Amino acid sequence: MMRNQTFGMGCALALVVYAILVIWRLESFSWIFELMLRSLVSILIFCVGIISGIKMLAKRKFRNATISFLFCLVPIAATMTSGRVFGQKMDETFIRADSVIVALNKYYSDSGNFPSSLEKLVPKYISSVPVTAMGVVSSHEFFYKKESIEYRLAFEATDGIYCRFTPGNDWLCDD
């Protein structure tokens, strides 16, 4: 009975750690630390699942062994989930940015130049300056810079990776 509780607590702890790692990735924290922590936790979860599964097989507890071996899939599932959520957040951020770009173009056609800040677009061209969809517990703002005859709109996709837009060019994201 005690071993089943320990195993259950281990499963719960692993899922909590992975939830934290998914949020960490989406919050644009240090990707090097996140990668090392994700790798360490993945290896740990995999080893615990395999060792537990082998022990359960030796005791002929096939149901528990199956659960243990399936537990090894948690790191793969968490990685796939965080990647899918990240992609959806990127798509939503581009949609929000498009509304800003449309407003900037309308402002330019009305005044002949671009505004000094995105706040100048409110309320005539957009109701409020949107934030990116990146992040889970915090909001991330768009970066805007007026240049001599054009502008640059950017956002941080993840730690150190920025996506930039200038008129005449499509979005360019660092790799």
Side-chain angles (χ1 to χ4, degrees):
M1 180 70 174
M2 184 65 160
R3 289 181 190 215
N4 287 341
Q5 286 178 337
T6 303
F7 178 73
M9 288 173 47
C11 291
L13 179 63
L15 293 175
V16 167
V17 168
Y18 256 99
I20 291 168
L21 289 176
V22 168
I23 291 170
W24 189 297
R25 178 178 184 191
L26 297 175
E27 285 296 329
S28 300
F29 295 130
S30 172
W31 67 273
I32 293 173
F33 181 73
E34 184 263 338
L35 182 63
M36 289 185 327
L37 189 57
R38 182 186 299 265
S39 300
L40 179 66
V41 170
S42 297
I43 291 167
L44 183 65
I45 289 172
F46 187 79
C47 291
V48 167
I50 293 293
I51 291 168
S52 296
I54 291 170
K55 286 181 180 179
M56 294 298 162
L57 282 176
K59 294 178 181 180
R60 299 207 177 274
K61 294 183 178 182
F62 299 113
R63 187 175 184 197
N64 290 349
T66 303
I67 292 170
S68 294
F69 290 130
L70 288 175
F71 186 61
C72 296
L73 300 176
V74 169
I76 296 168
T79 300
M80 290 172 54
T81 302
S82 66
R84 184 168 290 136
V85 171
F86 181 78
Q88 290 171 343
K89 288 193 165 286
M90 287 288 287
D91 292 344
E92 176 62 26
T93 297
F94 287 130
I95 290 169
R96 293 178 186 183
D98 286 343
S99 69
V100 173
I101 292 167
V102 167
L104 286 165
N105 290 334
K106 286 180 183 176
Y107 185 99
Y108 182 80
S109 66
D110 288 351
S111 67
N113 61 9
F114 292 107
S116 58
S117 71
L118 293 178
E119 287 75 23
K120 301 279 186 188
L121 300 171
V122 178
K124 185 175 180 181
Y125 300 97
I126 52 177
S127 58
S128 64
V129 178
V131 294
T132 72
M134 306 311 290
V136 175
V137 294
S138 64
S139 60
H140 302 267
E141 296 181 359
F142 286 101
F143 304 108
Y144 171 77
K145 182 178 180 187
K146 177 185 174 187
E147 297 177 352
S148 57
I149 57 172
E150 59 181 26
Y151 64 89
R152 181 176 301 170
L153 187 66
F155 67 92
E156 186 175 14
T158 188
D159 185 49
I161 297 178
Y162 291 88
C163 295
R164 291 177 293 287
F165 176 87
T166 54
N169 295 318
D170 202 4
W171 283 97
L172 174 68
C173 297
D174 302 332
D175 286 338

